[in-house]
Amino acid sequence: MKYIWLIPLLPGIGAAVNGLVGIRYFSRKTAGTFACAMMMLALGLSIVAFWELLGRPADQRAFDVIGPDWFPAIPLQMHDGTIGSFRAPWGFRLDPLSGMMLLVVTGIGTLIHVYSTAYMVDEPRGGFARFFCYLNLFCFFMLMLVLGSNFPVMFVGWEGVGLCSYLLIGYWYEKKSASDAGKKAFITNRVGDWGFILGVFLIFYTFGTLDFREVQNAAALMPVETGHFGVLSAICLLLFVGATGKSAQIPLYVWLPDAMEGPTPVSALIHAATMVTAGVYMLGRNAVLLSHAPEVMTIVAVVGVLTALMAATIGLVQYDIKRVLAYSTVSQLGYMFTAIGVGAFSAGAFHLMTHAFFKALLFLGSGSVIHAMAGEQDMRRMGGLKKFMPVTFATMMIGTLAIAGIPPFAGFFSKDEILFRAFLQNKVIWSLAVVTALMTAFYMFRLMYMTFYGGYRGPAWETGGHGAAAHGGHHADAHGHGHAAADDSAGHGHGHGAWHGPHESPTAMTFPLMALAVGAVVAGFLGIPAAILPSGSAIEQFLEPSFTASAAAEAGQTAASPEAVAAATHAEPAGAEPAAQGAAAGHEAAEHHMSTAGELGLMGFSVLVAVAGILTARKFYVTNPEISQGLAHRYAGAHRILSNKYYVDELYDATAISGTFSAARGLWGVDRKVVDGAVNGTGWLTLFSAWLSGLSDTHIVDGAVNAVGWTAEESSYWFRRVQTGLVQNYALLMLFGVAAFVGLYLIVR
C-alpha cells in the first residue's frame, strides 16, 4: 500500500505522453493502447492495495503515505488569536471509502477507455490522441481527489476534474453548442468552488489543520449544534455549496444536461460514474462534521430529494436519449444527497457505487445505439432496434432494471436502503423519494420501449447497393410527429459513410457493456440488508469506519473521547428532534423493529411502485401509444413546462446571465467614459499645455533672446562706424564731448 501514489501517477504519465508526443506522432492504435495500458496498470495496483486493505483488522483499515510539503508553511491567525502554521503535505490516504472509490474510478475508467478505442475510431489521428490525453488526465485528477489525505490535495483533484470536464465536454470545439456547454460547466462549477474554498478556509481557522483525520477528531470533541447555527454548520453549508456545483444539485444542476454535447464515453466517465459523485464523496469524507450540524443535514436532505423529484419530472418528456440519462443522473445524485441528509452515509456511498455500474452501462449503451444509428439521438426516430442490437438491448435492459429498483439487480438494494432510512427519519422526504422512484421506472422504460420496441421509425438505408430503402425514411412517432430522414453525418466520432442500417457495435464496445452488466447484477449483493441477511449489509459494515472519528484515530494521533465519538456517530439525523439518551435508545429499538418487520414491507412496496411505473410506460408506449399523445395534448401547458425544463435556463438567462452582461456593459461604459475619459483628458490637457508652452517658448523666450541678439547686431553697426582707428577723429569726438559737457553744465547752472 505504500505505493498507492503510483495509482494516480500512471494515468498522469499516459496523459503527458499522449499530449506531448502522441498528438504529433502516435497512430490511433498506439495512442489508444498506451492510454488503456496505463489505466489497466492503475486498476491492477488498486486491486492489490484494496486486497491488502481488506487483510487488515476492521479498526486498522487506514493507511497514509505522507510526502513533502508542496508549499512553505504560512503563519495565519487562528480563531483563538494564536498563530497557526498553514501547511499541506502531499499526502494520500487509503481507507474503506477511498478504496471503494479507487476501484470504481479505475475499473469503470478502464472499461470506458477500451470502449472509446472503437467509438472514437473515426476521429482524426491527432484528435484521437488528444481525446485519450484528456481521459487519462481526468482519471489522474479524479484519483488525486479520492486519495488526498487533506483538503488542499483534494482541492487539486477537485479543480483538475473541473478543467478536464471543460476540455472533454468541448472536445468538438468547432461545434458552438459543445464549446458553449463546456464553458457553462466550467463557470457553474466555479460558483460551487467558491463555497468549497471558503469552507476550507473556515476549517483551518477553526481547527488549525486541514488533514481529514485531524479535523474529524477535533470535530468529534465539539457539541452538536442542535437548534442553532454555529461555526460547524457554517463550514458544512459552505462545503455543501461546493458539492452542489460539482454534483449538479439545485440550483447549480443546469450544466450537466448540456454536458451531453461531449462524446458519449465522456458522459459515461465524467457525468455518470465518477466526477459528478465527487460532491457526495466529499460530504461523506466529512461525515463527522455533518453529524454535528443537523440543521445543514436537513438542508442537504431537502435539496437532494427536491433535485431528484424535479429532474425525474423533466426526464418524463425528453426525447434525446442522452438527455433522458442526464436528468436521470441528476435525479440519482439527488438520492445520494438525500441519504447524506438523513444520516445514511454508508447507504449514500453504496448507491454511488451501484449507480456507477448501471449508469455507465446505460450511457455506453446509448452510445452504442447512437453509433448504430449514424449519430441519431432522438428516440422518436428509433424503435424496433432490439432485433438489430441484441447485446446492446440485453445489457441496457439489465441497467434499466437496476436503476428502476427491481430485485435482485444492484440498484434495488442501494435505493431501498436510502428509502428505508428516509422513512425512519422523515416521512415527507420518503414520500417524495418514492414518487421519484415511480417516475424513474417510468421514464427509463419509456426510453427502452421507444428505442428497442415497436416498429422501426428511423431513416431508410441502402441495401445491396440497389438504392432501395429497407424501411421508410419518414415515420410518425408515438405522438404523431413526423421526422425526416437523418443525416448520416450527424454524429461525431462514429460516422459510417454509406450507412447500411442499424447494427450491433464492435466487440471493443460490447465487451465493456457486458462487464458493466455483470456489475449491475452482482454489486448489490454486497449490501443485502439485515432484514434478508441476518449478518447485515457487508458494504455498510466495511464503509462505516470511514464515517466515524474513532476510525480516523491511529497510533501517535489524539483520538476523540468515546463520548464525543458517540455524539458524532449517533447524532440525531436531519429532520429529527434532538433526543436524550433514553429517546435515542428508543429510536434504536424502533429501527431494529423496522429492520426485522417493516423493512420487508417497505421493500415490497418499493418494488410494486417500480413495477407500476414499468407497466404504465409499457401501456403508454407499446400497447396504446395514443394515450401518451392524448395526455400531451390534454395537458399541453404542463408538457410544455417540462419540455422546457421549467424554463430555468431562461430564468438564468434573464437574471444572472443578462445581469452579468448588463453589469459588464455598465463597467465597460464607466471604463470608457470615466477611467479612459480621465486618462484621455489628462493626455489632451498635457498636449494643450505643451502647445501653449511651445508657443511661449517660440514667441517669448526665443523672441527675447533673438531681440537681444538683433539689438546687439544692429547697434554694433553704428559703433563700428565710429571706430575708424584715426587719431584726429577720436580728438574731434573728444572735443565734441567736452563741448557738450560744458554746455550742459552751463545750462543747468
Side-chain angles (χ1 to χ4, degrees):
M1 286 193 290
K2 63 182 179 180
Y3 297 111
I4 57 175
W5 55 272
L6 279 173
I7 297 174
L9 182 62
L10 287 168
I13 293 172
V17 171
N18 261 324
L20 297 175
V21 181
I23 293 176
R24 185 176 294 270
Y25 301 109
F26 284 0
S27 65
R28 292 183 183 86
K29 183 177 180 180
T30 302
T33 302
F34 187 77
C36 292
M38 292 297 101
M39 286 304 301
M40 290 177 184
L41 289 173
L43 174 60
L45 281 177
S46 299
I47 293 173
V48 171
F50 189 79
W51 185 258
E52 292 183 14
L53 186 70
L54 285 178
R56 289 190 167 199
D59 59 347
Q60 297 179 20
R61 286 175 179 161
F63 185 81
D64 286 328
V65 176
I66 305 299
D69 290 353
W70 47 296
F71 54 80
I74 302 172
L76 291 177
Q77 182 175 331
M78 308 300 298
H79 70 284
D80 56 1
T82 60
I83 301 298
S85 179
F86 182 89
R87 58 184 297 271
W90 200 266
F92 299 102
R93 179 174 177 80
L94 183 65
D95 65 356
L97 182 60
S98 60
M100 183 196 75
M101 291 295 295
L102 271 187
L103 296 182
V104 168
V105 175
T106 56
I108 294 180
T110 299
L111 292 174
I112 292 173
H113 275 69
V114 172
Y115 179 97
S116 299
T117 59
Y119 189 86
M120 303 295 290
V121 72
D122 291 329
E123 286 296 303
R125 183 192 57 78
F128 192 86
R130 177 168 61 91
F131 179 78
F132 278 97
C133 168
Y134 293 166
L135 281 188
N136 271 177
L137 186 64
F138 168 80
C139 291
F140 164 75
F141 281 121
M142 190 67 201
L143 291 168
M144 290 288 297
L145 189 155
V146 301
L147 279 176
S149 64
N150 54 60
F151 281 98
V153 176
M154 173 186 271
F155 192 71
V156 170
W158 187 276
E159 291 298 294
V161 295
L163 169 65
C164 294
S165 173
Y166 165 76
L167 294 173
L168 285 165
I169 295 169
Y171 171 75
W172 289 313
Y173 56 87
E174 294 181 350
K175 183 181 176 184
K176 186 177 185 304
S177 58
S179 61
D180 287 348
K183 289 182 285 187
K184 184 176 183 179
F186 191 82
I187 294 171
T188 305
N189 274 274
R190 297 291 73 72
V191 177
D193 295 349
W194 162 81
F196 184 25
I197 198 167
L198 288 181
V200 172
F201 290 159
L202 189 54
I203 286 172
F204 181 81
Y205 180 76
T206 304
F207 299 109
T209 180
L210 291 176
D211 183 84
F212 290 127
R213 176 184 55 208
E214 294 173 3
V215 170
Q216 282 182 325
N217 291 338
L221 297 173
M222 300 178 70
V224 177
E225 295 179 349
T226 303
H228 70 284
F229 201 89
V231 64
L232 294 183
S233 298
I235 290 172
C236 292
L237 186 61
L238 289 170
L239 294 180
F240 176 57
V241 171
T244 298
K246 194 68 71 182
S247 294
Q249 299 295 288
I250 293 173
L252 300 179
Y253 70 92
V254 292
W255 67 269
L256 194 145
D258 288 357
M260 298 303 107
E261 292 290 341
T264 300
V266 173
S267 304
L269 178 64
I270 296 182
H271 308 115
T274 53
M275 190 193 94
V276 292
T277 60
V280 179
Y281 170 80
M282 185 264 286
L283 292 184
R285 180 58 76 193
N286 294 281
V288 176
L289 279 171
L290 280 169
S291 65
H292 282 62
E295 304 292 340
V296 177
M297 289 184 71
T298 301
I299 296 173
V300 173
V302 170
V303 170
V305 75
L306 291 179
T307 301
L309 180 64
M310 182 206 65
T313 58
I314 297 174
L316 294 174
V317 299
Q318 298 299 309
Y319 293 110
D320 186 311
I321 188 170
K322 286 177 65 177
R323 283 191 176 267
V324 174
L325 295 176
Y327 282 105
S328 171
T329 298
V330 176
S331 184
Q332 296 303 305
L333 290 168
Y335 264 111
M336 298 175 206
F337 276 87
T338 302
I340 297 292
V342 299
F345 298 104
S346 296
F350 181 31
H351 195 58
L352 183 158
M353 186 263 288
T354 60
H355 175 264
F357 282 107
F358 59 71
K359 187 52 66 67
L361 167 60
L362 289 167
F363 263 113
L364 294 185
S366 72
S368 180
V369 171
I370 295 168
H371 180 275
M373 295 295 293
E376 181 59 67
Q377 296 184 198
D378 193 329
M379 297 184 296
R380 293 171 293 187
R381 303 174 72 177
M382 298 178 184
L385 295 184
K386 67 178 180 178
K387 62 184 177 183
F388 302 107
M389 312 176 66
V391 176
T392 300
F393 166 71
T395 53
M396 284 193 71
M397 180 58 75
I398 290 173
T400 304
L401 290 169
I403 194 174
I406 300 298
F409 299 97
F412 163 74
F413 294 100
S414 57
K415 184 183 292 186
D416 180 75
E417 184 63 21
I418 295 174
L419 291 174
F420 172 62
R421 293 298 298 270
F423 180 83
L424 293 177
Q425 308 305 333
N426 192 307
K427 302 300 188 293
V428 175
I429 290 177
W430 172 79
S431 301
L432 294 176
V434 168
V435 173
T436 302
L438 173 67
M439 294 181 179
T440 301
F442 176 84
Y443 67 66
M444 285 307 304
F445 272 86
R446 169 181 178 267
L447 180 151
M448 292 298 294
Y449 292 142
M450 291 186 70
T451 303
F452 294 102
Y453 286 78
Y456 178 77
R457 301 183 300 274
W461 66 85
E462 302 289 333
T463 58
H466 301 294
H471 293 273
H474 189 88
H475 300 270
D477 62 25
H479 294 281
H481 302 295
H483 303 281
D487 181 2
D488 289 345
S489 63
H492 291 272
H494 41 271
H496 297 265
W499 186 54
H500 298 293
H503 56 277
E504 188 58 88
S505 298
T507 304
M509 293 173 64
T510 55
F511 171 75
L513 293 179
M514 292 184 284
L516 290 169
V518 172
V521 173
V522 304
F525 296 130
L526 296 174
I528 299 176
I532 298 176
L533 190 66
S535 59
S537 172
I539 193 167
E540 287 197 25
Q541 295 171 13
F542 173 71
L543 291 173
E544 189 61 30
S546 296
F547 304 127
T548 59
S550 57
E554 296 178 1
Q557 299 293 333
T558 303
S561 65
E563 294 80 4
V565 173
T569 56
H570 298 295
E572 290 295 322
E577 294 296 328
Q581 291 182 351
H587 170 75
E588 291 176 2
E591 182 174 340
H592 178 73
H593 174 72
M594 285 296 298
S595 66
T596 56
E599 188 173 359
L600 289 174
L602 289 175
M603 285 184 190
F605 179 71
S606 66
V607 173
L608 289 176
V609 167
V611 170
I614 295 170
L615 294 178
T616 304
R618 181 176 180 82
K619 186 174 182 63
F620 282 14
Y621 294 96
V622 178
T623 308
N624 297 306
E626 65 276 2
I627 295 178
S628 60
Q629 178 184 357
L631 290 175
H633 288 301
R634 182 180 303 175
Y635 302 103
H639 189 274
R640 189 181 309 109
I641 291 173
L642 295 180
S643 297
N644 288 280
K645 301 158 287 187
Y646 293 104
Y647 296 98
V648 173
D649 284 315
E650 288 78 4
L651 177 63
Y652 283 172
D653 286 339
T655 55
I657 296 175
S658 64
T660 301
F661 277 105
S662 297
R665 284 191 291 269
L667 290 174
W668 175 76
V670 171
D671 180 72
R672 182 171 59 88
K673 296 180 179 179
V674 178
V675 179
D676 288 353
V679 172
N680 294 335
T682 302
W684 179 86
L685 183 61
T686 302
L687 289 174
F688 180 72
S689 62
W691 178 73
L692 289 178
S693 178
L695 289 178
S696 173
D697 183 70
T698 301
H699 297 287
I700 298 177
V701 179
D702 289 352
V705 172
N706 293 334
V708 171
W710 179 83
T711 302
E713 181 183 10
E714 293 298 321
S715 61
S716 67
Y717 172 77
W718 297 103
F719 280 110
R720 189 171 66 251
R721 295 294 298 270
V722 299
Q723 300 298 322
T724 62
L726 299 176
V727 175
Q728 58 269 30
N729 289 344
Y730 295 151
L732 179 61
L733 288 174
M734 291 175 61
L735 179 62
F736 282 140
V738 170
F741 177 77
V742 171
L744 181 63
Y745 174 77
L746 292 175
I747 293 171
V748 173
R749 185 171 183 266

